[in-house]
Amino acid sequence: MRKIWLIVATLVLVVPGRIAFAEATDPTAVKSEDGKYLDKEGNPTFKVADDGKVDWYTYSGYRRYHSECHVCHGPDGMGSTYAPALQQSLKTMSYAQFLEVVASGRKNVNTAQESVMPAFGDNPNVACYMDDLYVYLRARAFDAVGRVRPAKREDKPDAYTQAETACMGTK
């Protein structure tokens, strides 16, 4: 958990102020490190095989999204009457921006509406799985996965289990 906060604190310092969206980055996986796929810029990304089998992070992200995020952002990331469509946002939102918003929250107020994204940095059910959420939503943004639970997935990597245990702790 301390590692996550160090990353988030660093990102908040690097990405201060309002979030400005960039152009979409190529989500193609160019390498794998212990079962985690990375794009050419080193950001976590998805890997979907021709037969529809997804990487573990995409699968886990689907599960985490539906346990914590879909109530506000819709069952498929397409948004709702009070929360934006994350499927569209992740086309241009950087990994650092995503971490900042999820960990610290965001408030948008104008004359027409007020929207508040609560901070989830203290919630281990979100904070420990931010990469999973990012990867899943990125896969949705680029139409690599559909609206339903992925039917096939890679096995859970040992490195993932170790990181999860370190973040969540043991009982």
Side-chain angles (χ1 to χ4, degrees), residues 77 81 90 147 151-152 164:
T81 56
L90 265 285
R147 300 174 66 178
K152 298 184 238 176
E164 183 177 39

Side-chain angles (χ1 to χ4, degrees), residues 31 44 56 60 81 127 149:
K31 70 177 183 174
W56 178 262
S60 177
T81 56
R149 182 184 199 124

Side-chain angles (χ1 to χ4, degrees), residues 1-12 103-104 119-123 127 130:
M1 187 73 145
R2 290 179 191 209
K3 184 177 180 182
I4 290 174
W5 274 111
L6 178 61
I7 292 168
V8 172
T10 302
L11 293 172
V12 170
S104 303
F120 284 97
D122 287 336
N123 180 340
M130 284 198 213

Side-chain angles (χ1 to χ4, degrees), residues 69-74 77-86 113 115-117:
C69 311
H70 86 271
V71 172
C72 295
H73 292 283
M78 299 289 288
S80 68
T81 56
Y82 56 90
L86 298 178
Q113 67 181 24
S115 62
V116 177
M117 164 76 182

Side-chain angles (χ1 to χ4, degrees), residues 34-63:
D34 296 322
K36 180 186 281 189
Y37 294 92
L38 305 170
D39 65 16
K40 66 182 178 185
E41 296 177 11
N43 298 312
T45 197
F46 55 89
K47 177 84 171 178
V48 181
D50 291 339
D51 67 355
K53 182 186 236 183
V54 301
D55 64 281
W56 178 262
Y57 286 82
T58 299
Y59 176 76
S60 177
Y62 171 89
R63 293 175 54 225

Side-chain angles (χ1 to χ4, degrees), residues 117-135:
M117 164 76 182
F120 284 97
D122 287 336
N123 180 340
N125 291 316
V126 175
C128 293
Y129 302 99
M130 284 198 213
D131 282 1
D132 307 38
L133 291 164
Y134 179 77
V135 168

Side-chain angles (χ1 to χ4, degrees), residues 31-38 56-57 154-162:
K31 70 177 183 174
S32 174
E33 292 179 359
D34 296 322
K36 180 186 281 189
Y37 294 92
L38 305 170
W56 178 262
Y57 286 82
E154 292 178 355
D155 292 334
K156 188 180 197 179
D158 289 337
Y160 183 97
T161 301
Q162 292 169 2

